[in-house]
Structure formats: C-alpha cells, structure tokens
Amino acid sequence: MATTQSVKNQLQSKNNTSQQPTTVQTLKGLLSSPTLKKRFEEILDKRAPQFMTSIMNLYSSEKALQKCDPMSVISSAMVAATLDLPIDKNLGYAWIVPYGNQAQFQLGYKGYIQLALRTGQYRSINVIEVYDGQLESFNPLTEEIVINFENKQSDSIVGYAAHFELLNGFRKTIYWTRDQVEEHRKKFSKSDFGWKNDYDAMAKKTVLKSLLSKWGILSIEMQKAYINDEKEVNEVELIDDNVIDISTHQDIEEHSVELEEIREEDQ
C-alpha cells in the first residue's frame, strides 16, 4: 500500500506532466479490481457479488450519481456493506446520495429499524405517517397519543409518529407535525435529493432518528451507522481500515492516484 507521501509525490508528478488524477474511471472498472472484490468478500462473503452488482445497477439508474466521483460511490456502498444493509433505493434501508460531485452514505428509516431489532432489546419499534383527521390528541409531556386510524379525511399527511418499547418495558413515543419536519429539513438537510425522491421516507427517518438517538439503546453498530449518517460530504471514508480515509477534497484526488496503483498491482 502506498504511503501518503508517495501518493502526494505521484499526484505532483502527474500535475507536472499536465495529466489529471484518474477521476473519470467508470464504476464498473473500479469494481473489477481484484483488490476491491476481495475487500467486499471479506465483509459480505458469498453475498459480495450480488451486492457489487447492486452498486452497478444503482449507479446506472441514477444520472445524478453518475456525476459523482466513482470511488465516493464505492466508499458509501462499503459503509452499507459493513452494516449488512442493501442499497436498493426501493427497499429504504440505505441510500447513496449525491452531494455535488461526491456521493455519501445515508441510512434509511428501515435501516434504523433493522439495526435496532438486531440489538435484541426492542419488543416493538415503528414509525408511521399520520393523515388528516386521524390525530385526536398528543401530549408531549406524558407522550399519550390518540390516533383514530378509521377517521382518515384525506390523503394529506399532517405529521409523523414514532414509537418503541424495550423488553424491559421502557417505552417512548414522539409526534412531529409536518411543519416541524419541514423546519428541520430546511435547517439541517445538506441535499434535497432524498427529500425530492421520497419525502415521507425521509420524514419518517428524521423522526425515528430523533427518537432513537435520544432515548433508544444504541449498539456499536447503530452508533457507527448514526455517525456515518451524520458525516459531511468532505468527510466520506471507507470503514475498512486498509483503505485510505477521505477527509478533504485534496485527499479525494490523492485517493484516485492510489486506486490507479491498486489496479497496476492487480495486473
């Protein structure tokens, strides 16, 4: 594995010869690297080929992702792989979201539920949309909520409710109005990509995430997922300790040089 200094030296050498770092490599070419294949196999074993195919399928179907640095897509997918969560956008467990020319891992609300259930500490956990006419009352102090599911007046969603109960009997419920969710989105969302594609899924994730982060039992796996879900775009990293971290945009360029070295080693 090349040292940071040797990577920088090679980057400088390439710049001196008017050659740009390899930022236009196709995702398919990167995934064909035996080194990357091995890393996915170490994480997913026999499921690695199917997961790597899902990366290619997602990339091929998303024009916005195709504008991202391919390695950032793989980095994001690696995070999902370490959490053993599928990246199929239709499943809602984990997403790979474009932020400019970089991709970033984002945990879906179903991913939060899945990781919570794996702890073996939850008797029940759920988050739902609340439609116009269904909410009768909610007391934020006592967390008493009354929802009449038979009294739906329209398809208009007025809020979102999340609830969990632990095996020891501890339980929590929160309710956010749609206005509260929208205020949170405007204040904290780094990209509208997920919100434009599935607003309700992002809203449910936001409410459930708030509930679990404040009151839930967070395993080490859940803490890692939460941290990666919170990362800024210039802090994308591969979980695998053998892979270079990406902490700055300069490092992203350096990483491209290292990937070229990997391919040369594999040939």
Side-chain angles (χ1 to χ4, degrees), residues 63-241:
K63 295 295 184 181
L65 276 181
Q66 293 172 24
K67 298 178 182 178
C68 295
D69 171 62
M71 194 57 213
S72 71
V73 175
I74 295 176
S75 300
S76 303
M78 187 72 75
V79 176
T82 61
L83 296 173
D84 196 14
L85 294 173
I87 56 173
D88 185 331
K89 61 183 180 181
N90 296 316
L91 297 178
Y93 288 94
W95 301 313
I96 298 179
V97 179
Y99 290 88
N101 66 348
Q102 294 297 309
Q104 182 176 337
F105 167 83
Q106 197 169 88
L107 194 61
Y109 80 91
K110 291 182 181 179
Y112 273 105
I113 291 176
Q114 181 64 224
L115 295 179
L117 292 176
R118 289 180 193 172
T119 67
Q121 299 296 316
Y122 291 81
R123 176 174 285 116
S124 63
I125 180 171
N126 200 10
V127 57
I128 61 170
E129 304 96 335
V130 178
Y131 292 91
D132 178 31
Q134 289 183 331
L135 181 68
E136 294 189 356
S137 66
F138 174 65
N139 186 324
L141 179 61
T142 63
E143 299 175 351
E144 295 179 6
I145 188 169
V146 179
I147 299 177
N148 184 348
F149 293 102
E150 303 300 323
N151 197 39
K152 180 180 176 182
Q153 300 298 311
S154 71
D155 290 332
S156 176
I157 296 175
V158 298
Y160 303 85
H163 167 84
F164 74 75
E165 181 180 358
L166 300 179
L167 294 179
N168 63 12
F170 179 78
R171 61 175 65 186
K172 279 289 176 181
T173 301
I174 62 173
Y175 173 78
W176 284 26
T177 66
R178 191 179 180 92
D179 287 342
Q180 286 177 301
V181 171
E182 183 62 14
E183 181 180 352
H184 184 278
R185 181 192 70 80
K186 291 179 178 179
K187 185 175 182 180
F188 296 105
S189 177
K190 295 169 288 184
S191 169
D192 279 338
F193 181 82
W195 294 93
K196 288 180 179 179
N197 283 273
D198 195 336
Y199 187 98
D200 291 328
M202 288 294 293
K204 288 192 285 187
K205 170 203 167 170
T206 299
V207 177
L208 183 63
K209 180 178 178 180
S210 175
L211 175 67
L212 291 176
S213 63
K214 291 179 180 178
W215 304 104
I217 291 180
L218 301 180
S219 64
I220 298 299
E221 187 180 43
M222 289 183 71
Q223 292 177 43
K224 280 186 177 182
Y226 184 87
I227 291 171
N228 278 284
D229 195 44
E230 288 289 298
K231 282 185 180 293
E232 296 290 342
V233 64
N234 65 340
E235 295 177 350
V236 178
E237 65 180 8
L238 286 178
I239 293 299
D240 189 334
D241 293 335

Side-chain angles (χ1 to χ4, degrees), residues 14 22 25 255-264:
K14 286 181 178 291
T22 55
Q25 305 146 330
H255 198 188
S256 298
V257 177
E258 182 169 65
L259 285 173
E260 184 175 356
E261 290 180 346
I262 289 175
R263 287 201 307 279
E264 290 174 352

